[in-house]
């Protein structure tokens, strides 16, 4: 149930809209996170990047590439430099990905 007492379902609800990865962000969460990221020291940024890369390298399974690409979208939305550092750390060729997008 939401704050107004409406039952939320997996589809066609506020919940599914909130988790929609294909739409525009519905708040400025990315800007806020980007601002916080840019306040980190260089060593703190590197520690964060290393941790993200380490976790993404552990992803396995048939949806591995798609999952990593979706995560990269979030990091790029937060900060272009963060997204680039994560992609580079994973040895991802962004030009190849963009060529294959429809």
């Amino acid at each position: 149930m939401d704050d107004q007492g409406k039952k939320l379902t997996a589809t066609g609800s506020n919940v599914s809209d909130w988790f929609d990865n294909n739409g525009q962000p519905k708040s400025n969460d990315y800007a806020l996170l980007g601002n916080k990221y840019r306040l980190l020291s260089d060593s703190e940024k590197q520690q964060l990047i290393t941790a993200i890369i380490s976790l993404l390298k552990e992803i396995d399974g048939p949806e591995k590439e798609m999952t990593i690409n979706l995560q990269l979208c979030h990091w790029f939305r937060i900060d272009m430099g963060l997204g680039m550092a994560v992609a580079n750390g994973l040895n991802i060729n962004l030009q190849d990905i963009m060529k294959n997008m429809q």
Side-chain angles (χ1 to χ4, degrees):
M1 295 260 187
D2 69 5
D3 292 340
Q4 299 170 350
K6 296 177 186 172
K7 185 176 181 184
L8 299 177
T9 60
T11 58
S13 71
N14 302 8
V15 175
S16 63
D17 292 342
W18 192 82
F19 284 102
D20 179 12
N21 289 319
N22 297 317
Q24 292 296 315
K26 298 187 178 39
S27 70
N28 68 348
D29 290 344
Y30 291 110
L32 292 172
L33 290 169
N35 289 338
K36 287 187 178 245
Y37 172 76
R38 288 182 285 280
L39 290 174
L40 297 175
S41 69
D42 288 344
S43 64
E44 290 170 324
K45 287 178 184 176
Q46 191 54 54
Q47 288 174 0
L48 176 62
I49 291 165
T50 300
I52 292 168
I53 292 167
S54 176
L55 290 170
L56 292 178
K57 284 183 175 181
E58 292 181 21
I59 295 173
D60 199 9
E63 301 296 326
K64 176 181 178 173
E65 185 177 340
M66 183 185 74
T67 302
I68 289 174
N69 289 342
L70 287 172
Q71 291 302 308
L72 277 175
C73 287
H74 293 298
W75 303 124
F76 274 105
R77 285 180 177 177
I78 290 169
D79 184 86
M80 181 68 75
L82 175 59
M84 290 300 295
V86 172
N88 288 335
L90 294 171
N91 297 316
I92 292 176
N93 185 327
L94 297 174
Q95 291 180 343
D96 286 345
I97 291 173
M98 290 170 45
K99 278 193 260 182
N100 294 325
M101 294 179 137
Q102 295 178 343

